[in-house]
Every structure is written in C-alpha cells, then in structure tokens.
Amino acid sequence: MGNQNKSQTSITTAPVQTLNTLPTPLSQSQCVLHKQEILICGGVDKRAYDVKLEGHCVVKLVNHRSNDKDSSEVTLLSFGGKEKHTLVMKYVSVWNNYQGMRAVIGGSNNHLLFITYYPKNISVFDLNTFQFIKHSTLLTSNYAWYHCFVSKSENGKEVKNKNNEMLLFCGNIGLSIEYYEVNKNEWMTFENILPIPLYDCFGILNEDNSHVHIIGGESPVSSAHMKAKVSEWRNALHLVIFISTLLFIFIFYFSKNELKLVIQYWIRILKIKLGWINEFNKIIIRYIRGFELLMVLQAHDDTVSSVGFSADGRKIVSASYDNTIRIWEVASGKQLQIFRGHTSRVFASRFSPDRHTVVSCAGDGTIRLWDVNTGNEVMKFKDLDKIWDVNFSPDGKYVVSGLQDSTVRLFDVHSGIEMKLLLGHSKDVVSTQFSPDGKMIVSSSNDKTVGVWNVESGEILKQFKGYDRIIRVNFSPDGQFIISGSLGNIIRIWNAKTEKEHKILKGHSNHVNDVKYFPDGRTIVSCSSDNTIRLWNVESGQKIQMLEGHSDCVKSVDVSQNGDTIVSGSADCKIRIWG
C-alpha cells in the first residue's frame, strides 16, 4: 500500500504523529519499505486467494545485478508461519515518476488501470488487489509522451467479451488497442496515420463512444481540434494508407517481381481483420528484411548430411559422414554433445517430440537411439540393410525408416520390435516421414515414386509417379499436400487426396536435396547441390529469397517451430544458422 498524502509528511515537532487510519484492520501483518511506499503484506484474517498468512516473515529481495534504485519492480519473499507457505511475489509501483504518462480505467468491473508512458510502454494494474498484471511494448514507431489515451468503456459502456478497447494518439500515429481480460495475456494493436502530427494533446470520447475528439497540442497546432470515427479506425481496410507509405520506403530494396509478391500477399491478408497486425509484422520481417546469416558451426570432419531443430527451437542435431551425431545450442552455437557408435556414414538424425532422445541411421545397417542429456546410446536396431532415412512419429512411440532393400520399416521405440514391414517400392527408399496426425507415412524411392501408407494396416494408399529420382518428401503442416525434391532440380507439390500434381517450383540449377514447409504452411524452404537455399511462396510458386554462403552442395535444411530460424548442413562440413 503506497502512502502519498503530502499533508501527512509536513515537518512537525511532535515526537509521534497520528496518520490516517488503514482502510482495513490488519493483524500479524508484515511490512516492507519500497522507495517512498510501505508495502503491507498479509494479515491473519486477510487472504490472497487461498493463502493464509499468519506468523510469517516477509523480506525484500535485492538484485545486485540490476539498478535497484531505479527499478519500479520489487520481489518479495514470504515464508514460515503457521501454514508453512513459501511464496515469491512481485510488486510494481504505480506511483513512479512517469512524466507525460496517461492512464484510463477499464475492465469488466472497472477494476483495471491501464498506464501508457515513455518511451513505448503500457502496463496493467488490478485496482482490487493492487497488483501488477502485465507489461508490454506498444507496436508503434512513435514515443508515448504527453499523448492522447482514451478508453471506449470510459462512459460506462459495458465491456463485451471481456476485452478492453482503447485508442492512443501521438505524433502522426494512432493506435487501436485491445486487451483481452479472459487470460490477461493478450494484446492486439492496429496502427494508422493521422493527417497531421500531434504532440502534448488530449482526447475524449463523445457520449455514445462513436467518435474521439483530439484537442490542442504543441505549437503550431495548439488550436487543432480533430474528430475520428472509432469504428472505422479499427477497420483494417483503412490501413491501405499505411501500407502505401511502407511501399515507398521499401521499393528500392525489391525487384519488380518481388515487390508484386509482397503487394499480393498484403492484399490477401487485408481481408483478415482480427489479428491483422500480427500477420503484417511477419510479412515485414520475412518478405522485406528476409533471412540473414547469424552463425556458422564447424566441428564435423566430413559432409553434414542432416540437420534438425528440437521442438522448442533451442537445440540442433546434426549427422555427418564422419560417423558422428552432434547436439548444438542455437543461441550460443556451443556443441553440447557428441554421439559416437556408428561405424559408417550417418545419413539422418532427428529429435524425439519430447526433445530427450535422438534417433539416427547409418550405412552400417543400424538405427540407434541416444539420450540427449547423457550422450549414451539407449537402444540399437541392427542386422538391417543400409538405412537412408529415419523419423519419429508425432507421439514419439515409433520410428519409421527407409532402407536400401526397398522396404519401409516401422519400429516400436520402447521395445525395439519391428511392428510393420511396408512393401511396394522396387528400389532404395531414401526418405520417410509421418503425417502430422501420425496415421500415414509418406516415402520416396529411387524408383521415381512417392508412396503414401496407412500406419495401422501397413497398406499402400496412394502412389505418385515422378519424373526423376525423388530425394526428399514431406507433408504440409495440415497434411493436405506432399512436397518433393528431386534429382531433376524441381520441387513438386502434390495433393495428398487427389494424387494430382498441384504445383511445380523451378529455380534450382542442380539436385534438390531437401524441402520443408514453414510451420504456417505458406512458405517452403529448399536446399540444393547448387550450394543455395531458397524460400518459396506456396500460393504463387515464386521464389522469395535465396540464401548463399555454403561452398559446396547443401544436403539438409530445417525450420524452427516459430518460423524465425533456418538451419542448413552442407558438404563443406559446416552448419549455418539463418534468422
């Protein structure tokens, strides 16, 4: 509880002063001093949720690694007492000197305090519990400084769907902000351009919340008075003005065809109103900035044949013709583990869905399972022919493999028993993968066909005939399409239901060694013996970007689950991380 009553802090000669009484009676409470506030923690009859604090102790945690004097947040530790609770609490002061700040009241019971302040901050506090809820950064290029900030619930209107709608105007930018109270963890922001820049202004909603009046501001527009229609401000279709501005900014960075692709993508996204700005941000990042080389990892002594991310995107597993498998940390590039045991070239390695296990296959006729944390081999399937590819099922219970003897084999991870033998190809099976729902398997072979199999029955459901030897196949994230890369330098997209060829992507000048969908299904990444990595727009079939840097053929490529990072492995013995 913060005591900010200046009349009680005047100088007096009395040894003891009587201050205002507490708003609620407290017994057996604890106090902590934070700047000029007294924080009262607990009371035997006052509960926070189901926690009863009686005879407890509270201390303030001082973090010597940060500037505690300037921090508005403090961590409190509460422990001991009759109920033997141990609690960690964070408190953020609402009384900091936020110069030029603005605030509004909202929430389903008018219990939320929204504060916007320099440089681009917005915070939420619960007025019932006096607790800090959430902080975020405004998605705008302008600073929030003596700005206009109003809430649509200001005039007593009911909050619909437990979300709070607010408008913020500063400089030449206007924001429509929604805060979803249900999970207290989600913001949505729409941005538009004002006809004139405004600073040091103020705003207020009219009675029916249909318009916001923006009044005054810094000279020479101190007499400005504008009225903006609230409903149209949030309409994504009115952001064409904003988009046009961006096009002029970035037009020098694109070829004519690339710019055309961006415009087409924006027009399609404009039809989506909710969540529009999130999609737009992704487009700006991926289609304007593009991917750049972040890091080069080198420890393998021979061709890097396979690379793949863990499910959380924090680690990479790589396999090599040097007979080893290695685990790397994405953030630092540090090698964490090396698995030794294969006696021949390792062709593929993959993380299990739970990230604790790696499966690998090699020319020595074995499939091996490795413990990621200890580096130990935990299981080996042996006495097989040369194994070209291996993959986990989505639930992590099975591994599927493609063999030189033209078979596809399914193994149980826990028992090591071969569960299914799938027959249908006439030559080496070089690629195998489960469908996203785990009910089907797709395989490709040197017999120039792609097979789709039923996991439960082991029967072949469909077979696509290609024109060249197909090196790699993968399902789309929704399981509706299958993508293939071949020795003929071509990427093909097949409709998994109709078995028809849906689209052809041309551009590589040598074998396409690997192809993957991005998690959103809108982009494809491929790598080739022409030493390049290419990104493709699924809808148009056009190339978006080409990544160069490897000095020999690129054998494998993967995309992190959030779509922000790409990893590639090459015959130049190097792993490259792009972001």
Side-chain angles (χ1 to χ4, degrees):
M1 181 181 73
N3 187 346
Q4 297 293 312
N5 193 332
K6 292 185 178 180
S7 64
Q8 301 296 334
T9 60
S10 57
I11 299 174
T12 176
T13 57
V16 178
Q17 285 183 271
T18 300
L19 304 179
N20 291 341
T21 58
L22 296 172
T24 182
L26 293 172
S27 174
Q28 296 188 25
S29 60
Q30 288 279 301
C31 298
V32 173
L33 183 66
H34 177 49
K35 296 188 176 181
Q36 296 184 17
E37 297 178 85
I38 297 174
L39 309 182
I40 302 175
C41 310
V44 67
D45 296 320
K46 303 298 175 183
R47 297 191 181 196
Y49 306 103
D50 293 327
V51 179
K52 183 177 181 180
L53 299 178
E54 181 178 355
H56 61 295
C57 174
V58 175
V59 295
K60 180 171 67 171
L61 180 64
V62 178
N63 186 355
H64 293 289
R65 291 175 297 178
S66 64
N67 190 349
D68 195 61
K69 288 184 178 180
D70 297 331
S71 175
S72 61
E73 181 179 287
V74 62
T75 301
L76 306 178
L77 305 179
S78 174
F79 49 90
K82 184 177 180 181
E83 302 296 330
K84 300 180 181 179
H85 288 301
T86 301
L87 304 172
V88 179
M89 299 165 283
K90 285 189 181 295
Y91 171 79
V92 177
S93 174
V94 302
W95 309 113
N96 271 10
N97 182 23
Y98 299 139
Q99 186 178 0
M101 64 182 285
R102 296 288 187 262
V104 298
I105 301 292
S108 56
N109 297 308
N110 285 327
H111 65 295
L112 298 179
L113 174 67
F114 297 89
I115 301 176
T116 51
Y117 53 98
Y118 182 86
K120 302 177 184 180
N121 299 304
I122 181 167
S123 298
V124 191
F125 298 85
D126 191 319
L127 296 178
N128 291 336
T129 62
F130 298 103
Q131 288 185 331
F132 166 75
I133 296 176
K134 182 174 174 60
H135 170 80
S136 187
T137 302
L138 296 168
L139 297 175
T140 178
S141 57
N142 279 29
Y143 292 138
W145 178 256
Y146 293 103
H147 50 287
C148 163
F149 187 41
V150 294
S151 169
K152 286 190 68 175
S153 60
E154 183 176 308
N155 294 323
K157 298 292 182 182
E158 211 172 298
V159 177
K160 297 179 181 179
N161 302 321
K162 294 199 174 184
N163 63 304
N164 303 268
E165 297 182 46
M166 294 158 282
L167 300 175
L168 185 148
F169 301 92
C170 189
N172 64 338
I173 295 297
L175 296 178
S176 174
I177 305 168
E178 288 189 18
Y179 175 74
Y180 287 82
E181 189 180 326
V182 176
N183 54 22
K184 299 182 180 178
N185 196 33
E186 185 176 349
W187 298 88
M188 187 180 297
T189 308
F190 299 93
E191 186 173 71
N192 208 339
I193 301 295
L194 291 170
I196 59 173
L198 294 173
Y199 302 95
D200 295 351
C201 61
F202 192 75
I204 192 167
L205 286 166
N206 65 352
E207 282 294 323
D208 61 2
N209 287 349
S210 62
H211 292 80
V212 58
H213 290 261
I214 306 167
I215 300 169
E218 188 179 75
S219 179
V221 293
S222 58
S223 60
H225 180 190
M226 293 193 301
K227 184 170 77 169
K229 194 172 182 180
V230 172
S231 61
E232 291 191 4
W233 191 262
R234 290 189 62 251
N235 191 339
L237 294 175
H238 285 72
L239 298 180
V240 175
I241 300 172
F242 177 50
I243 293 169
S244 299
T245 304
L246 283 173
L247 286 179
F248 282 113
I249 294 171
F250 295 109
I251 195 167
F252 300 105
Y253 292 87
F254 288 96
S255 68
K256 185 176 180 181
N257 288 335
E258 288 173 328
L259 185 59
K260 184 178 178 182
L261 282 176
V262 175
I263 296 171
Q264 288 173 348
Y265 207 99
W266 278 343
I267 291 172
R268 182 163 64 84
I269 293 298
L270 276 172
K271 297 175 184 177
I272 305 170
K273 294 184 180 180
L274 293 179
W276 186 89
I277 200 68
N278 292 329
E279 293 293 335
F280 181 76
N281 284 343
K282 290 178 183 178
I283 296 166
I284 293 297
I285 293 169
R286 289 290 164 257
Y287 297 98
I288 292 180
R289 180 183 63 81
F291 284 86
E292 298 173 354
L293 181 63
L294 302 179
M295 201 179 302
V296 179
L297 313 180
Q298 188 169 12
H300 286 294
D301 298 325
D302 207 333
T303 294
V304 180
S305 54
S306 172
V307 287
F309 284 100
S310 59
D312 59 6
R314 295 181 179 180
K315 295 177 182 177
I316 291 167
V317 61
S318 62
S320 171
Y321 289 176
D322 66 7
N323 303 358
T324 69
I325 303 102
R326 300 171 194 251
I327 304 292
W328 311 79
E329 185 179 58
V330 173
S332 66
K334 179 183 178 182
Q335 182 178 298
L336 303 176
Q337 289 284 4
I338 179 169
F339 305 143
R340 301 182 188 273
H342 284 293
T343 57
S344 184
R345 292 178 172 183
V346 185
F347 296 119
S349 59
R350 315 275 186 243
F351 275 104
S352 61
D354 66 6
R355 313 186 307 276
H356 299 313
T357 308
V358 161
V359 65
S360 61
C361 66
D364 60 10
T366 67
I367 297 172
R368 302 176 190 237
L369 297 178
W370 310 84
D371 187 295
V372 171
N373 297 317
T374 65
N376 296 328
E377 181 184 300
V378 294
M379 188 175 290
K380 178 168 66 175
F381 314 136
K382 56 183 180 178
D383 298 328
L384 302 168
D385 206 337
K386 183 180 288 186
I387 306 161
W388 294 111
D389 197 20
V390 67
N391 262 297
F392 276 102
S393 60
D395 59 8
K397 294 181 179 179
Y398 306 100
V399 293
V400 61
S401 59
L403 281 74
Q404 188 179 36
D405 64 7
S406 74
T407 65
V408 177
R409 298 175 188 250
L410 189 67
F411 295 90
D412 183 278
V413 168
H414 299 291
S415 67
I417 297 173
E418 183 178 306
M419 306 296 294
K420 291 281 189 317
L421 174 64
L422 311 181
L423 301 173
H425 287 297
S426 59
K427 291 187 178 180
D428 303 37
V429 178
V430 294
S431 179
T432 54
Q433 190 205 21
F434 280 92
S435 60
D437 61 7
K439 295 180 179 180
M440 294 184 293
I441 290 170
V442 65
S443 61
S444 67
S445 168
N446 286 341
D447 63 11
K448 302 181 182 180
T449 67
V450 173
V452 180
W453 312 78
N454 182 291
V455 172
E456 188 173 351
S457 67
E459 296 177 348
I460 191 164
L461 302 174
K462 297 177 180 67
Q463 194 167 44
F464 311 139
K465 293 183 179 180
Y467 305 94
D468 302 286
R469 288 168 55 193
I470 300 168
I471 302 175
R472 188 68 62 195
V473 285
N474 271 293
F475 276 102
S476 61
D478 61 6
Q480 300 298 309
F481 296 93
I482 292 169
I483 187 173
S484 67
S486 72
L487 292 182
N489 314 344
I490 290 174
I491 300 164
R492 284 183 166 88
I493 303 175
W494 313 78
N495 188 305
K497 290 184 178 179
T498 65
E499 304 180 40
K500 292 182 179 179
E501 193 176 90
H502 177 67
K503 200 157 289 184
I504 298 177
L505 312 181
K506 295 181 180 180
H508 282 296
S509 59
N510 210 329
H511 311 327
V512 179
N513 296 316
D514 202 359
V515 283
K516 296 279 173 61
Y517 274 91
F518 272 63
D520 62 7
R522 297 173 182 169
T523 308
I524 288 168
V525 61
S526 62
C527 64
S528 167
S529 295
D530 64 11
N531 304 357
T532 70
I533 300 154
R534 303 185 189 222
L535 279 70
W536 310 82
N537 180 281
V538 172
E539 186 174 338
S540 68
Q542 298 296 312
K543 184 192 77 176
I544 298 169
Q545 189 182 1
M546 180 167 69
L547 305 178
E548 297 179 286
H550 284 292
S551 59
D552 207 335
C553 62
V554 189
K555 302 289 288 185
S556 180
V557 69
D558 196 21
V559 186
S560 61
Q561 280 296 312
N562 61 11
D564 286 345
T565 315
I566 293 172
V567 62
S568 57
S570 169
D572 64 9
C573 309
K574 296 176 182 177
I575 298 165
R576 279 175 161 78
I577 300 176
W578 315 79

